[in-house]
Amino acid sequence: MIRIAAVGDVHVDEDVVGRFRPALEELPDCADVLLLAGDLTRHGTEAEARCVAREFGGLGVPVVTVLGNHDHQCDEVPQVVKVLQEAGIRVLEGEGIVLDLPGGRLGVAGVKGFGGGFAGRCASDFGEPEMKAFVRTANESADALGAALRGLDCDLLVALTHYAPVPETLAGEPLEIYPFLGSYQLGQAIDSAPTALALHGHAHAGSERGITPGGVRVRNVAHPVIKQAYSVFHLGEQPDPAEVSGIGPSGTQQPWS
């Protein structure tokens, strides 16, 4: 069994430092790894990244993240990534990593992702150059995720994104903004490999649970949705390796129904 803690959209700045840390100190007792689903900062500044490093660095378990749209706002992505990496937080963008954990070898493939919408109501690669560029960005991001997933040799495989791969986890958000919250291409990429679980954030008013067309369970772990410092997912248990529980920092178990 591998225990995965996850949260996204923590939007850390100087005012938030210290808010998550007490619960994070308990991580080694209840999880083997922490996955962060983007929007670590408010505006994507180097100074805010240093706050993230203070809050999420040195936890006693590996920490892996993707960036979110907020982390790109001030065009300081190289500086943000450098600060996080120096704190021991692995940043993925179209890449994968295999972690040797007590319960087995966990593969994590990550990409920020992009918008575009979902089957039947999505942007198309047609018309103005700006629209073509928008759709091309979504396609390239999904292609990178799929290649990273398929390239990992591991016991269990997890996809980590900021944008949503399915519309079900957006339920609660205005329908008009669905195309800016995720894309069906990400779901196709996840289904192209034997993925056990897909985690994302971004949709603050969304829902926790969804499933890809290929049957991969999807969880929206945005902090405003899970309303706790992190959720914990157990992979590798029988009979269903991906459907166990979310566990808050207090240890309270919340069964998926």
Side-chain angles (χ1 to χ4, degrees), residues 5-125:
V7 67
D9 302 81
V10 291
H11 296 289
V12 174
D13 60 11
E14 192 65 44
D15 292 336
V16 176
V17 171
R19 189 175 302 173
F20 290 87
R21 194 71 189 194
L24 293 171
E25 296 288 357
E26 301 176 14
L27 264 177
D29 296 327
C30 61
D32 303 308
V33 61
L34 173 64
L35 304 184
L36 302 175
D39 274 6
L40 311 178
T41 65
R42 289 193 182 276
H43 302 101
T45 66
E46 182 177 353
E48 289 175 346
R50 296 192 184 283
C51 294
V52 175
R54 286 161 55 192
E55 195 77 348
F56 289 90
L59 295 179
V61 300
V63 181
V64 181
T65 190
V66 294
L67 299 185
N69 55 306
H70 277 248
D71 304 318
H72 282 252
Q73 170 62 21
C74 285
D75 298 323
E76 296 183 14
V77 168
Q79 298 96 308
V80 168
V81 171
K82 183 174 184 292
V83 168
L84 297 177
Q85 302 268 46
E86 288 176 347
I89 300 171
R90 177 64 184 270
V91 183
L92 301 179
E93 179 54 42
E95 304 166 290
I97 183 174
V98 176
L99 302 169
D100 288 313
L101 302 175
R105 300 174 72 240
L106 176 68
V108 181
V111 70
K112 174 176 64 67
F114 201 57
F118 300 90
R121 294 175 176 82
C122 58
S124 62
D125 187 9

Side-chain angles (χ1 to χ4, degrees), residues 1 12 25 31 50 60 74-75 107 111 114 149 160 171 177 181 200 208 230 253:
M1 183 182 68
V12 174
E25 296 288 357
R50 296 192 184 283
C74 285
D75 298 323
V111 70
F114 201 57
L149 285 166
L160 179 64
I177 67 171
L181 296 177
H200 76 87
E208 281 190 73
Y230 47 83
Q253 190 167 5

